[in-house]
Amino acid sequence: MYKRQALSNSNKTLNTATDVSYLLVENNLILGGALGGMFSGIFMNGLNGKNVNNKIINNTIRDFYSDGIYIKRQENLEISGNDLSRPKRTEDLDAFCIYLDGPSRDLLIERNNIHNIHGGNINSTSDTYGFYQLNNDGRGAQPIVIRNNLMYDIRSKGDIYGIYNDRSDTVMYHHNTFSFDDKNASSGEVRAFFQSGRSRGLEFKNNNISITRGGSGRKYGIYVSSNNATIDSDYNNIYLNSSGTGQQHVGFFSGNQTTLANWKNIANRTW
């Protein structure tokens, strides 16, 4: 099956967008397999942006092919309490665990667990994205909120991104925990928080980051690749203690910022 739980306006294809509101997807066990099976665990692709008050709550999603949860053109959506893993998946595939595609707004993403994404192939060189956010903008008193989520036990040789924020404004990333501690890894970079493109009004606060992953890849707590980003980053716990050969830096902005003191001294920025 292409999508295990999908919304479509076609009786022939599950990839066609459709609008739905006030839908509750709750307490389901959604299973893929070692090979083949579902592309996305849960797939909500709105058509005209008239998709409001949908909820994805307390589901267990295992062995999805690429996207654990994929949403697009949603408003006032809640994704809460879900458990996502790929313990048996053997293909060498990138994983987008929770993919928030735009334009969507008024999103609440909380209390989700992401773990064991390459359990069936720990030698995978594919990338892992915990929360991938593209072209979504919060609004003033109604920001997008991503909080109290947990990502851990990611064993692979590919790159790992806890949060990937791409051209999304007014987003609060609070009280999330990222533990990337596979000491047996031989390669692959780590960026617990990655910012790309122009973004305004971001907060990254009170998050816990532990990176002791081995290997030759570089490790970063916070990586800001664009000069066109406004981020308020403070009160985060960033622990770097890899025994691997790769460089370790608290952050990146206009170059590597190796220590917390370096990070704080970046001119005209609120970190």
Side-chain angles (χ1 to χ4, degrees):
M1 180 179 288
Y2 189 65
K3 275 82 176 183
R4 187 66 70 180
Q5 295 277 347
L7 306 179
S8 175
N9 63 3
S10 170
N11 61 3
K12 295 181 180 179
T13 174
L14 291 176
N15 200 33
T16 304
T18 191
D19 292 326
V20 66
S21 295
Y22 298 95
L23 175 68
L24 174 62
V25 182
E26 185 177 20
N27 294 328
N28 297 285
L29 176 60
I30 302 171
L31 301 177
L35 294 168
M38 58 184 178
F39 190 91
S40 302
I42 296 175
F43 182 87
M44 288 187 179
N45 182 10
L47 180 60
N48 294 312
K50 299 176 182 178
N51 306 274
V52 298
N53 297 310
N54 294 315
K55 299 180 185 294
I56 301 171
I57 299 176
N58 295 333
N59 300 284
T60 298
I61 304 171
R62 293 183 192 150
D63 292 314
F64 51 94
Y65 184 89
S66 178
D67 309 329
I69 298 172
Y70 175 93
I71 67 97
K72 185 178 180 71
R73 299 188 186 95
Q74 301 291 319
E75 183 173 346
N76 196 27
L77 170 75
E78 179 181 349
I79 300 176
S80 177
N82 301 284
D83 187 275
L84 296 93
S85 64
R86 297 197 308 186
K88 297 181 180 179
R89 187 56 82 167
T90 58
E91 296 116 323
D92 197 356
L93 302 167
D94 291 348
F96 297 85
C97 300
I98 297 181
Y99 195 134
L100 310 172
D101 203 353
S104 296
R105 63 187 186 184
D106 302 341
L107 307 177
L108 174 61
I109 316 298
E110 66 175 357
R111 298 187 296 106
N112 299 286
N113 291 335
I114 297 171
H115 59 100
N116 198 16
I117 296 302
H118 299 281
N121 181 8
I122 61 174
N123 293 313
S124 170
T125 57
S126 295
D127 298 338
T128 304
Y129 301 86
F131 302 87
Y132 190 97
Q133 178 147 229
L134 175 64
N135 290 329
N136 298 311
D137 296 330
R139 300 176 293 172
Q142 294 179 296
I144 294 170
V145 178
I146 298 180
R147 68 188 182 194
N148 295 317
N149 299 285
L150 175 61
M151 184 175 179
Y152 66 100
D153 188 26
I154 309 298
R155 292 169 292 157
S156 73
K157 296 180 179 179
D159 295 347
I160 300 172
Y161 300 85
I163 293 168
Y164 194 109
N165 190 91
D166 189 355
R167 291 163 288 168
S168 297
D169 299 340
T170 317
V171 186
M172 312 289 105
Y173 295 102
H174 294 168
H175 299 285
N176 301 288
T177 297
F178 302 96
S179 178
F180 303 132
D181 297 323
D182 178 14
K183 295 179 173 60
N184 295 318
S186 59
S187 62
E189 299 196 349
V190 176
R191 299 171 177 91
F193 176 85
F194 183 87
Q195 163 59 32
S196 176
R198 181 188 182 277
S199 295
R200 296 288 186 266
L202 301 181
E203 284 191 5
F204 186 74
K205 290 185 174 182
N206 296 300
N207 299 284
N208 295 309
I209 298 169
S210 174
I211 304 174
T212 61
R213 189 190 199 201
S216 58
R218 295 170 295 180
K219 287 86 175 171
Y220 295 92
I222 301 171
Y223 195 105
V224 181
S225 66
S226 171
N227 292 333
N228 295 319
T230 303
I231 306 175
D232 185 359
S233 174
D234 209 350
Y235 307 110
N236 299 295
N237 297 313
I238 302 175
Y239 177 71
L240 300 165
N241 189 22
S242 172
S243 61
T245 58
Q247 300 176 19
Q248 303 177 69
H249 306 285
V250 168
F252 179 96
F253 180 79
S254 298
N256 294 323
Q257 310 299 328
T258 302
T259 68
L260 183 59
N262 298 145
W263 189 246
K264 289 182 175 180
N265 286 334
I266 300 174
N268 300 320
R269 295 282 162 175
T270 302
W271 303 115

